Amino acid sequence: MSGDLESISEATSGAIGALVSTTILYPLDTCKAKYQAEVQAHRLRKYRNLSDVLLEAISTGNVLSLYQGLGTKNSQSFIAQFVYFYGYSYFKRLYLEESGAKSIGTRANLLIAAAAGACTAITTQPLDTASSRMQTSAFGKSKGLWKTLTEGSWSEAFNGLGISLLLTSNPAIQYTVFDQLKQHLLKGKEKTTEKDAAPVVLSAFSAFVLGALSKSIATVLTYPAIRCKVMIQAADDDEEKKAEPKSSKTMSGVICSIWKKEGILGFFKGLHAQILKTVLSSALLLMIKEKISATTWVLILALRRILLLRQRRLKSPEIIRL
């Protein structure tokens, strides 16, 4: 029971961290998505850099459109992080119990993180697809969640699922690096801490730095797949995009399109924007998670105690009658 509560605590704190970080950085995320989704045509580009997207929103009076799809993205982020952290914590505890090991090695950590990531991708793919379409829609023309999901076939709601499963290696790499660095730092602190003292946790600054470093490594290694996924899920607003053949929305079609129009460097277009956004997002997420995990654990224990007391009170009249 305590193991399940620990998993729920990890999942809840991770989900809250995702919700806060997603909301703070959402305008940057929208600019990044629109910049990544554009493919160079006839050597012309609408967006030369990330700031061009922001300038377009300001010049057209659609600054609030930088938040289009925020509700969907927050729902997706909250559910995704809850499922991921719960799965990661659960699989990790299960592995330690079954193997009898005191700690998890790098290989096992990667497999556990990948399994949690696969569960997350399958669960949240429709919301992920919808949020990408809403973000990449023309400013002021974003549709609601239900209309976005139902305007195509149900299978289209799972566009990019294959890449999402492939990209489970991204959080797997990130959290493996983060966990290993975290354990290394905490070992030194635990030696100087008394046995009966409160559990040692990372400082906000340490969690931020480790989160940024681990996410940077994961992002660089998986970026070509990230850009292909954004292009597959991007909204079709203009006539030029609508005129493209259906194969352009497949993995092979997107790869061919990038290769023909932009060359090999096209697979890394927007890498700096992706690193900026994801590093800040992940660092904030992990920093918030580390700071509220202890509070979340206390609240869950208090809730459990209240439920147990109510159960005892409900049983006590029956005992008196007997």
Side-chain angles (χ1 to χ4, degrees):
M1 183 67 179
S2 60
D4 289 336
L5 288 176
E6 185 178 351
S7 297
I8 293 172
S9 175
E10 284 286 306
T12 303
S13 57
I16 293 172
L19 192 66
V20 175
S21 64
T22 297
T23 301
I24 293 173
L25 299 172
Y26 195 74
L28 174 61
D29 190 32
T30 299
C31 292
K32 173 196 69 69
K34 290 181 72 67
Y35 181 66
Q36 287 175 320
E38 183 193 28
V39 179
Q40 179 177 327
H42 307 295
R43 297 185 179 180
L44 296 175
R45 286 182 179 176
K46 183 178 181 181
Y47 305 123
R48 291 288 179 179
N49 49 58
L50 193 65
S51 61
D52 287 345
V53 186
L54 178 62
L55 290 174
E56 181 190 9
I58 295 173
S59 63
T60 58
N62 288 306
V63 176
L64 292 180
S65 292
L66 290 171
Y67 290 90
Q68 58 191 26
L70 176 60
T72 301
K73 192 71 171 182
N74 271 338
S75 298
Q76 187 259 336
S77 295
F78 186 89
I79 295 170
Q81 291 301 325
F82 186 91
V83 173
Y84 182 85
F85 278 108
Y86 183 86
Y88 182 79
S89 179
Y90 177 80
F91 291 141
K92 184 177 179 181
R93 179 171 54 82
L94 191 64
Y95 172 82
L96 292 174
E97 290 177 355
E98 293 295 328
S99 64
K102 294 182 179 180
S103 60
I104 298 178
T106 303
R107 290 182 181 179
N109 213 340
L110 279 170
L111 289 174
I112 290 170
C119 294
T120 303
I122 295 170
T123 303
T124 63
Q125 189 62 35
L127 287 175
D128 186 28
T129 300
S131 64
S132 292
R133 289 178 185 172
M134 293 164 83
Q135 280 186 307
T136 54
S137 296
F139 287 129
K141 295 184 179 180
S142 177
K143 302 171 185 176
L145 174 59
W146 181 249
K147 192 171 183 179
T148 301
L149 286 175
T150 57
E151 63 182 357
S153 64
W154 178 245
S155 61
E156 289 179 359
F158 287 87
N159 276 348
L161 177 59
I163 301 180
S164 294
L165 292 174
L166 176 64
L167 287 173
T168 57
S169 59
N170 186 293
I173 294 169
Q174 177 195 353
Y175 290 114
T176 297
V177 173
F178 182 83
D179 249 8
Q180 297 301 316
L181 293 175
K182 176 183 173 181
Q183 288 177 22
H184 180 73
L185 284 178
L186 293 183
K187 278 183 181 178
K189 292 183 178 181
E190 286 174 354
K191 291 179 180 179
T192 58
T193 305
E194 297 180 2
K195 293 183 179 180
D196 297 331
V200 179
V201 296
L202 289 175
S203 65
F205 179 75
S206 296
F208 186 92
V209 172
L210 293 188
L213 179 60
S214 60
K215 192 61 179 181
S216 294
I217 294 171
T219 300
V220 172
L221 293 175
T222 60
Y223 186 74
I226 292 173
R227 196 195 170 196
C228 288
K229 178 186 172 186
V230 172
M231 290 182 62
I232 288 173
Q233 295 179 329
D236 295 325
D237 283 319
D238 54 70
E239 295 300 324
E240 185 176 339
K241 284 184 179 180
K242 289 181 180 179
E244 290 181 358
K246 192 68 176 178
S247 60
S248 65
K249 283 296 183 179
T250 65
M251 182 67 170
S252 59
V254 167
I255 291 173
C256 289
S257 180
I258 295 174
W259 179 264
K260 289 178 181 178
K261 297 178 181 179
E262 299 179 346
I264 192 169
L265 292 179
F267 291 101
F268 292 91
K269 177 190 173 184
L271 175 60
H272 64 290
Q274 183 74 30
I275 289 178
L276 177 63
K277 184 266 170 181
T278 54
V279 165
L280 288 175
S281 177
S282 297
L284 282 171
L285 187 157
L286 292 169
M287 179 180 69
I288 294 167
K289 175 181 174 293
E290 288 293 323
K291 301 315 291 183
I292 68 174
S293 58
T295 304
T296 305
W297 176 248
V298 171
L299 290 174
I300 288 175
L301 288 179
L303 179 61
R304 182 193 178 192
R305 186 176 180 181
I306 291 171
L307 292 174
L308 287 173
L309 287 173
R310 284 186 177 181
Q311 288 179 354
R312 289 176 183 176
R313 288 176 182 176
L314 290 172
K315 290 179 180 180
S316 57
E318 296 178 2
I319 296 173
I320 293 172
R321 287 177 185 177
L322 292 173

